[in-house]
Amino acid sequence: STRVVFSFDVGNGPLEVQVESTVPLNDNRWHRIRAERNIKEASLQLDNLPVAAQEAPADGHVHLQLNSQLFIGGTASRQRGFRGCIRSLQLNGITLDLEERAKITPGVRPGCPGHCSSYGSLCRNQGHCVERARGFHCDCSLSAYTGVFCHTELSASFKSGTSVRYTFKEPYELTRNSSALPSSIYSDTTLRGENVSLNFRTAQSPALLLYVSSYYREYMAVLINKHDKLEVRYKLEGNRDAEVLRSSSAKNLANGQLHSITIRRLTHTVSVQVDQNAKEDFNLTSDGEFNAIKSLVLGRVHEPDDLDSQLARLASLGFTGCLSVVQFNSINPLKAALLHPDTSPIIITGPLVQSSCGSAASANPYAAENKHHITDQSGSVGSGQPLVNAIRTDSALIGGVIAVVIFVILTGLAITGRYLYQRKDTCRNQEGNGVKQEDSPDFPFSNQTDSQNLSTENPKEYFI
């Protein structure tokens, strides 16, 4: 179970190249094999182990002439074949379509099932499911969320003097030590479109939520105007005035409640959505290119030189409230500021306090803390964190309802049992006095006289 063999015969007798692994290969994990033969040697590599090579004989045949079918995983005559999964098979640089062939081959199924095929949907908010030996892992590097399932909102409280400045890097600077940094904190510097999303909660009006500047005096600004409405301003040509896109879907965005904003631009077309309202479409008249973007700012803008006087005055006031799950294309500036402040191109000025203000539950002070434990065989998803999710909803209320239902059922059974017992005792007394009820179809079940007799003859009371 630890050895891989590459054997062949070109007419000089069989030759073999072997690679020995330090761990068993039947561990239900992916392994990569590369086998090569040329006129000089044959080589074999397994995963990242050193390459094993075997020189070809000095004299003899060198060409391998094959004229039969290619068998993968077994042959037509061998009863015991390969059991497992094979993918990415290449022969002389040509990728073979195994899935299409598997559809018409008995005993072979297309696709390789794994943990992600069954549980990959647990990775939320653009989280990517990654297979592991005994489970799976949710990669949240491209998500504005964090946590085991990329479900934990990252939110922070801003004061008027708080500023989070994310500086975009030039492409030649990204190649330096890029492997040591999260892949979600860098982006290109010239854009023909943006995908922007964020949640916020504030009572300030007007207020600047997000500002992206350019080296060419271009900018994008997302703000709440003095009428408590959402405005998106684009200035994509330095010699022109900014184009103002006003949303009319939401009435009051400075009411202290949690709101969400999604903005998508593709060249000249811009769509804006506030909360669950319908999307609003706008058209820009500029060239549609956001050139040489310089920085993204959340909160107070300390260098508002490229802005007009009205927006510059607003930017200098700062933002007071809550921002959460901020995403600009593939970067997450707030996540970088809270989790990777030392390895990200982030400058934080003033107090930045991580909190749960971006959660919808935080708007209700009486909301219960939600927790839900999901455990597999290994007890974790593979990231070393317990599988804890927030899903405990109103357990006290549900328990109270169940208790009331059980009490009502027991009370009903007690009343029914007492009623049946008294009826049985009444019939017994009447038989003893020679009264036959079956002979009188109009005999009432009970009357006042019978009740008095029962009370005198049976002074005892029975409680069931």
Side-chain angles (χ1 to χ4, degrees), residues 229-300:
K229 299 285 188 177
L230 176 67
E231 278 189 11
V232 182
R233 298 189 182 185
Y234 274 102
K235 185 180 180 181
L236 300 184
E237 293 183 22
N239 57 352
R240 299 180 56 180
D241 294 334
E243 299 183 64
V244 180
L245 313 178
R246 293 185 176 90
S247 173
S248 59
S249 58
K251 296 182 179 180
N252 183 8
L253 296 179
N255 56 1
Q257 300 297 319
L258 185 66
H259 299 282
S260 62
I261 295 175
T262 302
I263 303 169
R264 303 184 186 278
R265 181 184 72 91
L266 182 60
T267 61
H268 305 89
T269 304
V270 182
S271 66
V272 178
Q273 184 176 13
V274 180
D275 296 333
Q276 300 300 323
N277 299 312
K279 292 182 180 179
E280 301 175 87
D281 295 327
F282 303 90
N283 290 320
L284 300 177
T285 60
S286 58
D287 58 5
E289 285 193 352
F290 197 178
N291 297 299
I293 55 177
K294 178 172 59 175
S295 63
L296 181 151
V297 179
L298 304 175
R300 185 175 182 178

Side-chain angles (χ1 to χ4, degrees), residues 1-4 18-25 27 31 46-47 49:
S1 62
T2 60
R3 184 180 306 168
V4 176
Q18 299 184 9
V19 174
E20 188 80 20
S21 173
T22 58
V23 296
L25 300 175
D27 55 357
H31 299 280
L46 170 65
D47 296 333
L49 297 177

Side-chain angles (χ1 to χ4, degrees), residues 56 82 134 229 264 286 289 302-303 307 346 358 371 384 416:
F82 173 78
R134 297 181 180 178
K229 299 285 188 177
R264 303 184 186 278
S286 58
E289 285 193 352
H302 293 279
E303 299 177 1
L307 301 177
I346 288 287
K371 289 186 179 179
T416 303

